[in-house]
Amino acid sequence: MATLEIDSLTKSYGSVRALRGTSFDVRAGEIFGFVGSNGAGKTTTMRIVLGVLAADAGEVRWDGRPIDADARRRIGYMPEERGLYPRMPVGDQLTYLARLHGLSAGAARDAMTRWTDTLGVAERRGDEVQKLSLGNQQRVQLAAALAHDPDALVLDEPFSGLDPVAVDVMSDVLRDRADAGVPVVFSSHQLDLVERLCDRVGIIRDGEMVAVGTIAELRRTETERWVVDGPPGASWIGAVPGARAVSLEGSRTVVELAPGSRAGDAPGGEQAVLHAALAAGPVHEFAVVRPSLTELYRDVVSSAGADGAAARTETKEEVPA
Amino acid sequence: MSTTRPTTVEPGATELSSWGAIRLVAGREITTRLRSKSFVWLTVLLVAAVVLGGVVLNLASSSGPSAQRVGLTPGTAPLAQTVTATGDALGTQVETVEVPDEAAGEEQVRDGDLDALLTGTAEDWTVVVESGLGETLGPVLTTMARQTALADAVEELGGDPAEVSSEMATAQPSVRTIGEPSEFDPARYVTGLVTGILLFMAIMISGQLIAQGVVEEKTSRVVELLLATVRPWHLMAGKVLGIGLVGLGQVALVVAAGVGTALGLGLVDASTIDLGAAAAWALVWFVVGFVSYALLMAGLGALVSRQEDVGAVTTPVTFLMVVPYVVGVSVAPWAPDNPLVVWLSYVPLCSPLLMPVRIALGSAETWEALLALGLSVALIPVLVWLAAKIYSNAVLRTAPA
């Protein structure tokens, strides 16, 4: 398998600049979560990857080479606008689509059987797609993306409209494909799901990637924050040079170690905080505070013109990691 | 050491050529069409209409004035040959019946079994009728009476009546035609009319199917999934090919039913028409006409996103089809050499609907048909280019909801 590289894509619709130099890559065997608000450019990026749209500038590479029609045919794609022939039976439709992706008639039929079994729509093979519930149509749509055993998966909002069981099935399938070495990229607004499922995440805002990295990387803050559950902070915080109380609520104190201070720069500088707190009374909890993906996302997409993932505001709610 | 082959080939995966993609798309169109009840019923109806039409036509043409029955007494029996021959010469079928005597004959005339009875002798006969000589039998017997009178006169003048009558039989008026010879041939007329209607219907229906199919893929958004795999022109070409083949099969079936009915019932025995050639030309023109219009329909269909808008957007093309169709079925059969008919039959997009009618009517020379065919075929690459351009640009664009 290979890496799917999205390099400096730009695209304008009239005067609207949908993409302004979007770049990221999806490596073999990883699940890449592509998040951003509506209209940020996720669907446009995916359509360009699949060749359904042409970019104004920039390049999509597969295995180090500009992607071509043959490579695209080996991608499994789930468009944002779900689409199947409404009056064509499920089985025939999946077989047809798999054959369009280059499978022989027999292999296509086998794949159709396998995926309808896996995704729990086996008993609907003979039914017209329009007779299925939306959730089942979605499963068929995923089967259509998977049936030709793709080299890469590009899925636009694959989880929207699925019940919890279907979400689990879908998650397992994506993990399984990634473990088989397939690069998987999907967009979603369900950030808890992205956080749980993805190896790396990219956040897009107004056509620009504002953060790309592993969840851990994104959550690593520029200044470390620690939560102390113990004696009220006001009584001991002054004893730690470079420490500043971000919030003081009863027994819970959130402390920030400013860079440039002795404690902030030295490795293990947080130990001074713990010692100071213990000196004042018993400590029940001491942990590093990391923002959730949801918080990161809110920050990133709401701070217009801010400098990416590092931009934080003091007002946000923080939870222990 | 044994070498092991790298097992990187995907199971069952093959390279998909352009032709492979087009064939798959066409195959889906054919399967979908053949499974559609409306298509099957339409075909059955068209075949039934052509066969029933032939049968009705046959009944209508054979229910004309039946043979006139003329009774002959033993005295007039030698006239049997003359009566029948004179009838034939005048286009009236006469059947002679010998009756035992005058009384029996008169009885039959009274009953209506006989239209007329000739009594007396072969040289001097009298006609017995119920109320009067009809318009059909009148001229026949009048001619016979005149010939008898002429023969008597010739004999009186010392001539040979047999010689005179044989000279008379071969005498022909010398005819010089100053206008176009207009010989009305019902078989040609019907064939022309049926060809015009059938081609119009088949091309119109297939064209609409193309436009609807294009819009269906847009409406259901499946086109995005398809275009991630195949090129727009693969999709368009496959659609045109698939629906075209089904349409051709449908037309061939109807034409075969029509030709079979006509030959089986002997409808064209009296005509100069070459039904096989007319049928072959109809199929050729269907292919040319279908491809031309299907391309236009595919391009136009891609411009809209809802089935409701298909009618509106294809109106110009429909109009383009209706004009030659109306000229073909309403003017051409009566005036095949009308300048409008002749000129329009050369114009691409009009000729597929008009030239086959002229061919069936027998008013088009072979070179005329080939010229019109050449012009129409020459336009197809232009239409391919135009339709592919419109289609590729528009097929993914949907109107704001």
Side-chain angles (χ1 to χ4, degrees), chain B residues 39-66:
Chain B
F39 170 80
V40 174
W41 278 112
L42 179 71
T43 312
V44 170
L45 276 177
L46 281 175
V47 169
V50 168
V51 174
L52 281 178
V55 172
V56 167
L57 212 61
N58 188 40
L59 290 177
S61 60
S62 58
S63 71
S66 53

PDB file of all heavy atoms in Angstrom, chain B residues 39-66:
ATOM      1  N   PHE B  39     -41.563  -1.039 -20.988  1.00  0.00           N
ATOM      2  CA  PHE B  39     -40.888  -1.295 -22.259  1.00  0.00           C
ATOM      3  C   PHE B  39     -41.464  -2.525 -22.940  1.00  0.00           C
ATOM      4  O   PHE B  39     -41.768  -2.512 -24.133  1.00  0.00           O
ATOM      5  CB  PHE B  39     -39.384  -1.472 -22.029  1.00  0.00           C
ATOM      6  CG  PHE B  39     -38.662  -1.963 -23.240  1.00  0.00           C
ATOM      7  CD1 PHE B  39     -38.318  -1.081 -24.249  1.00  0.00           C
ATOM      8  CD2 PHE B  39     -38.359  -3.300 -23.396  1.00  0.00           C
ATOM      9  CE1 PHE B  39     -37.680  -1.533 -25.385  1.00  0.00           C
ATOM     10  CE2 PHE B  39     -37.718  -3.761 -24.535  1.00  0.00           C
ATOM     11  CZ  PHE B  39     -37.376  -2.870 -25.527  1.00  0.00           C
ATOM     12  N   VAL B  40     -41.637  -3.602 -22.163  1.00  0.00           N
ATOM     13  CA  VAL B  40     -42.146  -4.851 -22.733  1.00  0.00           C
ATOM     14  C   VAL B  40     -43.534  -4.633 -23.315  1.00  0.00           C
ATOM     15  O   VAL B  40     -43.833  -5.033 -24.440  1.00  0.00           O
ATOM     16  CB  VAL B  40     -42.166  -5.952 -21.652  1.00  0.00           C
ATOM     17  CG1 VAL B  40     -42.838  -7.209 -22.184  1.00  0.00           C
ATOM     18  CG2 VAL B  40     -40.749  -6.258 -21.186  1.00  0.00           C
ATOM     19  N   TRP B  41     -44.374  -3.925 -22.554  1.00  0.00           N
ATOM     20  CA  TRP B  41     -45.741  -3.707 -23.026  1.00  0.00           C
ATOM     21  C   TRP B  41     -45.790  -2.833 -24.262  1.00  0.00           C
ATOM     22  O   TRP B  41     -46.571  -3.065 -25.173  1.00  0.00           O
ATOM     23  CB  TRP B  41     -46.600  -3.096 -21.908  1.00  0.00           C
ATOM     24  CG  TRP B  41     -47.075  -4.155 -20.989  1.00  0.00           C
ATOM     25  CD1 TRP B  41     -46.720  -4.342 -19.685  1.00  0.00           C
ATOM     26  CD2 TRP B  41     -47.982  -5.224 -21.307  1.00  0.00           C
ATOM     27  NE1 TRP B  41     -47.339  -5.456 -19.183  1.00  0.00           N
ATOM     28  CE2 TRP B  41     -48.123  -6.018 -20.145  1.00  0.00           C
ATOM     29  CE3 TRP B  41     -48.678  -5.588 -22.455  1.00  0.00           C
ATOM     30  CZ2 TRP B  41     -48.933  -7.148 -20.116  1.00  0.00           C
ATOM     31  CZ3 TRP B  41     -49.482  -6.710 -22.426  1.00  0.00           C
ATOM     32  CH2 TRP B  41     -49.606  -7.474 -21.262  1.00  0.00           C
ATOM     33  N   LEU B  42     -44.942  -1.828 -24.295  1.00  0.00           N
ATOM     34  CA  LEU B  42     -44.923  -0.951 -25.458  1.00  0.00           C
ATOM     35  C   LEU B  42     -44.557  -1.754 -26.703  1.00  0.00           C
ATOM     36  O   LEU B  42     -45.183  -1.607 -27.760  1.00  0.00           O
ATOM     37  CB  LEU B  42     -43.921   0.188 -25.242  1.00  0.00           C
ATOM     38  CG  LEU B  42     -43.814   1.145 -26.424  1.00  0.00           C
ATOM     39  CD1 LEU B  42     -45.073   1.983 -26.540  1.00  0.00           C
ATOM     40  CD2 LEU B  42     -42.594   2.036 -26.297  1.00  0.00           C
ATOM     41  N   THR B  43     -43.555  -2.630 -26.561  1.00  0.00           N
ATOM     42  CA  THR B  43     -43.133  -3.445 -27.701  1.00  0.00           C
ATOM     43  C   THR B  43     -44.266  -4.357 -28.155  1.00  0.00           C
ATOM     44  O   THR B  43     -44.555  -4.456 -29.354  1.00  0.00           O
ATOM     45  CB  THR B  43     -41.894  -4.280 -27.310  1.00  0.00           C
ATOM     46  OG1 THR B  43     -40.947  -3.418 -26.689  1.00  0.00           O
ATOM     47  CG2 THR B  43     -41.287  -4.931 -28.516  1.00  0.00           C
ATOM     48  N   VAL B  44     -44.906  -5.005 -27.184  1.00  0.00           N
ATOM     49  CA  VAL B  44     -46.019  -5.899 -27.523  1.00  0.00           C
ATOM     50  C   VAL B  44     -47.117  -5.117 -28.248  1.00  0.00           C
ATOM     51  O   VAL B  44     -47.649  -5.557 -29.279  1.00  0.00           O
ATOM     52  CB  VAL B  44     -46.577  -6.563 -26.243  1.00  0.00           C
ATOM     53  CG1 VAL B  44     -47.877  -7.288 -26.535  1.00  0.00           C
ATOM     54  CG2 VAL B  44     -45.544  -7.514 -25.653  1.00  0.00           C
ATOM     55  N   LEU B  45     -47.421  -3.919 -27.733  1.00  0.00           N
ATOM     56  CA  LEU B  45     -48.473  -3.102 -28.337  1.00  0.00           C
ATOM     57  C   LEU B  45     -48.123  -2.699 -29.767  1.00  0.00           C
ATOM     58  O   LEU B  45     -48.965  -2.751 -30.666  1.00  0.00           O
ATOM     59  CB  LEU B  45     -48.703  -1.837 -27.496  1.00  0.00           C
ATOM     60  CG  LEU B  45     -49.631  -2.003 -26.304  1.00  0.00           C
ATOM     61  CD1 LEU B  45     -49.713  -0.715 -25.508  1.00  0.00           C
ATOM     62  CD2 LEU B  45     -51.030  -2.392 -26.798  1.00  0.00           C
ATOM     63  N   LEU B  46     -46.857  -2.299 -29.964  1.00  0.00           N
ATOM     64  CA  LEU B  46     -46.454  -1.867 -31.301  1.00  0.00           C
ATOM     65  C   LEU B  46     -46.557  -3.015 -32.298  1.00  0.00           C
ATOM     66  O   LEU B  46     -47.083  -2.841 -33.409  1.00  0.00           O
ATOM     67  CB  LEU B  46     -45.017  -1.334 -31.268  1.00  0.00           C
ATOM     68  CG  LEU B  46     -44.833   0.092 -30.742  1.00  0.00           C
ATOM     69  CD1 LEU B  46     -43.355   0.444 -30.644  1.00  0.00           C
ATOM     70  CD2 LEU B  46     -45.546   1.080 -31.649  1.00  0.00           C
ATOM     71  N   VAL B  47     -46.072  -4.200 -31.874  1.00  0.00           N
ATOM     72  CA  VAL B  47     -46.139  -5.362 -32.761  1.00  0.00           C
ATOM     73  C   VAL B  47     -47.596  -5.692 -33.066  1.00  0.00           C
ATOM     74  O   VAL B  47     -47.989  -5.900 -34.224  1.00  0.00           O
ATOM     75  CB  VAL B  47     -45.415  -6.575 -32.123  1.00  0.00           C
ATOM     76  CG1 VAL B  47     -45.708  -7.845 -32.912  1.00  0.00           C
ATOM     77  CG2 VAL B  47     -43.916  -6.324 -32.064  1.00  0.00           C
ATOM     78  N   ALA B  48     -48.428  -5.688 -32.002  1.00  0.00           N
ATOM     79  CA  ALA B  48     -49.850  -5.994 -32.185  1.00  0.00           C
ATOM     80  C   ALA B  48     -50.499  -4.983 -33.121  1.00  0.00           C
ATOM     81  O   ALA B  48     -51.292  -5.351 -34.001  1.00  0.00           O
ATOM     82  CB  ALA B  48     -50.557  -6.000 -30.827  1.00  0.00           C
ATOM     83  N   ALA B  49     -50.153  -3.717 -32.969  1.00  0.00           N
ATOM     84  CA  ALA B  49     -50.754  -2.669 -33.797  1.00  0.00           C
ATOM     85  C   ALA B  49     -50.408  -2.891 -35.263  1.00  0.00           C
ATOM     86  O   ALA B  49     -51.266  -2.768 -36.147  1.00  0.00           O
ATOM     87  CB  ALA B  49     -50.274  -1.293 -33.334  1.00  0.00           C
ATOM     88  N   VAL B  50     -49.142  -3.227 -35.529  1.00  0.00           N
ATOM     89  CA  VAL B  50     -48.719  -3.424 -36.915  1.00  0.00           C
ATOM     90  C   VAL B  50     -49.420  -4.641 -37.528  1.00  0.00           C
ATOM     91  O   VAL B  50     -49.929  -4.586 -38.649  1.00  0.00           O
ATOM     92  CB  VAL B  50     -47.182  -3.571 -36.976  1.00  0.00           C
ATOM     93  CG1 VAL B  50     -46.757  -4.072 -38.339  1.00  0.00           C
ATOM     94  CG2 VAL B  50     -46.521  -2.254 -36.673  1.00  0.00           C
ATOM     95  N   VAL B  51     -49.476  -5.738 -36.753  1.00  0.00           N
ATOM     96  CA  VAL B  51     -50.104  -6.952 -37.281  1.00  0.00           C
ATOM     97  C   VAL B  51     -51.602  -6.726 -37.495  1.00  0.00           C
ATOM     98  O   VAL B  51     -52.152  -7.022 -38.562  1.00  0.00           O
ATOM     99  CB  VAL B  51     -49.865  -8.144 -36.328  1.00  0.00           C
ATOM    100  CG1 VAL B  51     -50.649  -9.362 -36.794  1.00  0.00           C
ATOM    101  CG2 VAL B  51     -48.376  -8.464 -36.266  1.00  0.00           C
ATOM    102  N   LEU B  52     -52.257  -6.166 -36.470  1.00  0.00           N
ATOM    103  CA  LEU B  52     -53.698  -5.922 -36.583  1.00  0.00           C
ATOM    104  C   LEU B  52     -53.997  -4.941 -37.708  1.00  0.00           C
ATOM    105  O   LEU B  52     -54.955  -5.119 -38.454  1.00  0.00           O
ATOM    106  CB  LEU B  52     -54.243  -5.380 -35.262  1.00  0.00           C
ATOM    107  CG  LEU B  52     -54.480  -6.434 -34.180  1.00  0.00           C
ATOM    108  CD1 LEU B  52     -54.961  -5.771 -32.901  1.00  0.00           C
ATOM    109  CD2 LEU B  52     -55.496  -7.472 -34.665  1.00  0.00           C
ATOM    110  N   GLY B  53     -53.143  -3.921 -37.822  1.00  0.00           N
ATOM    111  CA  GLY B  53     -53.325  -2.948 -38.902  1.00  0.00           C
ATOM    112  C   GLY B  53     -53.314  -3.644 -40.260  1.00  0.00           C
ATOM    113  O   GLY B  53     -54.146  -3.367 -41.124  1.00  0.00           O
ATOM    114  N   GLY B  54     -52.372  -4.571 -40.424  1.00  0.00           N
ATOM    115  CA  GLY B  54     -52.285  -5.314 -41.687  1.00  0.00           C
ATOM    116  C   GLY B  54     -53.531  -6.133 -41.954  1.00  0.00           C
ATOM    117  O   GLY B  54     -54.062  -6.144 -43.068  1.00  0.00           O
ATOM    118  N   VAL B  55     -54.009  -6.775 -40.886  1.00  0.00           N
ATOM    119  CA  VAL B  55     -55.208  -7.611 -41.036  1.00  0.00           C
ATOM    120  C   VAL B  55     -56.412  -6.747 -41.420  1.00  0.00           C
ATOM    121  O   VAL B  55     -57.177  -7.085 -42.341  1.00  0.00           O
ATOM    122  CB  VAL B  55     -55.478  -8.392 -39.726  1.00  0.00           C
ATOM    123  CG1 VAL B  55     -56.818  -9.098 -39.792  1.00  0.00           C
ATOM    124  CG2 VAL B  55     -54.349  -9.386 -39.471  1.00  0.00           C
ATOM    125  N   VAL B  56     -56.567  -5.617 -40.730  1.00  0.00           N
ATOM    126  CA  VAL B  56     -57.693  -4.717 -41.015  1.00  0.00           C
ATOM    127  C   VAL B  56     -57.618  -4.215 -42.454  1.00  0.00           C
ATOM    128  O   VAL B  56     -58.606  -4.196 -43.186  1.00  0.00           O
ATOM    129  CB  VAL B  56     -57.702  -3.534 -40.016  1.00  0.00           C
ATOM    130  CG1 VAL B  56     -58.659  -2.443 -40.486  1.00  0.00           C
ATOM    131  CG2 VAL B  56     -58.087  -4.024 -38.628  1.00  0.00           C
ATOM    132  N   LEU B  57     -56.406  -3.867 -42.859  1.00  0.00           N
ATOM    133  CA  LEU B  57     -56.198  -3.369 -44.213  1.00  0.00           C
ATOM    134  C   LEU B  57     -56.593  -4.424 -45.242  1.00  0.00           C
ATOM    135  O   LEU B  57     -57.221  -4.137 -46.258  1.00  0.00           O
ATOM    136  CB  LEU B  57     -54.710  -3.019 -44.367  1.00  0.00           C
ATOM    137  CG  LEU B  57     -54.358  -1.873 -45.297  1.00  0.00           C
ATOM    138  CD1 LEU B  57     -55.001  -0.593 -44.808  1.00  0.00           C
ATOM    139  CD2 LEU B  57     -52.855  -1.726 -45.362  1.00  0.00           C
ATOM    140  N   ASN B  58     -56.233  -5.663 -44.933  1.00  0.00           N
ATOM    141  CA  ASN B  58     -56.529  -6.774 -45.831  1.00  0.00           C
ATOM    142  C   ASN B  58     -58.031  -6.965 -45.967  1.00  0.00           C
ATOM    143  O   ASN B  58     -58.561  -7.114 -47.069  1.00  0.00           O
ATOM    144  CB  ASN B  58     -55.871  -8.044 -45.264  1.00  0.00           C
ATOM    145  CG  ASN B  58     -55.969  -9.208 -46.222  1.00  0.00           C
ATOM    146  OD1 ASN B  58     -55.813  -9.014 -47.429  1.00  0.00           O
ATOM    147  ND2 ASN B  58     -56.234 -10.383 -45.703  1.00  0.00           N
ATOM    148  N   LEU B  59     -58.737  -6.904 -44.817  1.00  0.00           N
ATOM    149  CA  LEU B  59     -60.190  -7.062 -44.837  1.00  0.00           C
ATOM    150  C   LEU B  59     -60.826  -5.940 -45.629  1.00  0.00           C
ATOM    151  O   LEU B  59     -61.719  -6.155 -46.441  1.00  0.00           O
ATOM    152  CB  LEU B  59     -60.736  -7.082 -43.410  1.00  0.00           C
ATOM    153  CG  LEU B  59     -60.398  -8.330 -42.594  1.00  0.00           C
ATOM    154  CD1 LEU B  59     -60.926  -8.184 -41.176  1.00  0.00           C
ATOM    155  CD2 LEU B  59     -60.977  -9.564 -43.264  1.00  0.00           C
ATOM    156  N   ALA B  60     -60.330  -4.718 -45.402  1.00  0.00           N
ATOM    157  CA  ALA B  60     -60.917  -3.554 -46.058  1.00  0.00           C
ATOM    158  C   ALA B  60     -60.751  -3.653 -47.573  1.00  0.00           C
ATOM    159  O   ALA B  60     -61.673  -3.359 -48.326  1.00  0.00           O
ATOM    160  CB  ALA B  60     -60.256  -2.276 -45.540  1.00  0.00           C
ATOM    161  N   SER B  61     -59.562  -4.095 -48.020  1.00  0.00           N
ATOM    162  CA  SER B  61     -59.328  -4.108 -49.467  1.00  0.00           C
ATOM    163  C   SER B  61     -60.075  -5.258 -50.146  1.00  0.00           C
ATOM    164  O   SER B  61     -60.433  -5.173 -51.307  1.00  0.00           O
ATOM    165  CB  SER B  61     -57.827  -4.221 -49.756  1.00  0.00           C
ATOM    166  OG  SER B  61     -57.326  -5.414 -49.192  1.00  0.00           O
ATOM    167  N   SER B  62     -60.332  -6.363 -49.416  1.00  0.00           N
ATOM    168  CA  SER B  62     -61.010  -7.486 -50.066  1.00  0.00           C
ATOM    169  C   SER B  62     -62.519  -7.400 -49.921  1.00  0.00           C
ATOM    170  O   SER B  62     -63.241  -8.197 -50.480  1.00  0.00           O
ATOM    171  CB  SER B  62     -60.503  -8.812 -49.491  1.00  0.00           C
ATOM    172  OG  SER B  62     -60.717  -8.830 -48.106  1.00  0.00           O
ATOM    173  N   SER B  63     -63.011  -6.416 -49.166  1.00  0.00           N
ATOM    174  CA  SER B  63     -64.457  -6.294 -49.010  1.00  0.00           C
ATOM    175  C   SER B  63     -65.040  -5.332 -50.037  1.00  0.00           C
ATOM    176  O   SER B  63     -66.120  -4.811 -49.870  1.00  0.00           O
ATOM    177  CB  SER B  63     -64.803  -5.817 -47.596  1.00  0.00           C
ATOM    178  OG  SER B  63     -64.440  -4.466 -47.446  1.00  0.00           O
ATOM    179  N   GLY B  64     -64.293  -5.087 -51.122  1.00  0.00           N
ATOM    180  CA  GLY B  64     -64.781  -4.233 -52.210  1.00  0.00           C
ATOM    181  C   GLY B  64     -65.909  -4.959 -52.941  1.00  0.00           C
ATOM    182  O   GLY B  64     -66.349  -6.031 -52.521  1.00  0.00           O
ATOM    183  N   PRO B  65     -66.405  -4.403 -54.069  1.00  0.00           N
ATOM    184  CA  PRO B  65     -67.495  -5.041 -54.810  1.00  0.00           C
ATOM    185  C   PRO B  65     -67.119  -6.466 -55.182  1.00  0.00           C
ATOM    186  O   PRO B  65     -66.083  -6.707 -55.784  1.00  0.00           O
ATOM    187  CB  PRO B  65     -67.656  -4.155 -56.052  1.00  0.00           C
ATOM    188  CG  PRO B  65     -66.406  -3.323 -56.112  1.00  0.00           C
ATOM    189  CD  PRO B  65     -65.910  -3.200 -54.719  1.00  0.00           C
ATOM    190  N   SER B  66     -67.963  -7.405 -54.776  1.00  0.00           N
ATOM    191  CA  SER B  66     -67.653  -8.802 -55.067  1.00  0.00           C
ATOM    192  C   SER B  66     -68.049  -9.102 -56.526  1.00  0.00           C
ATOM    193  O   SER B  66     -68.640  -8.273 -57.210  1.00  0.00           O
ATOM    194  CB  SER B  66     -68.408  -9.712 -54.105  1.00  0.00           C
ATOM    195  OG  SER B  66     -69.775  -9.395 -54.145  1.00  0.00           O
TER     196      SER B  66
END
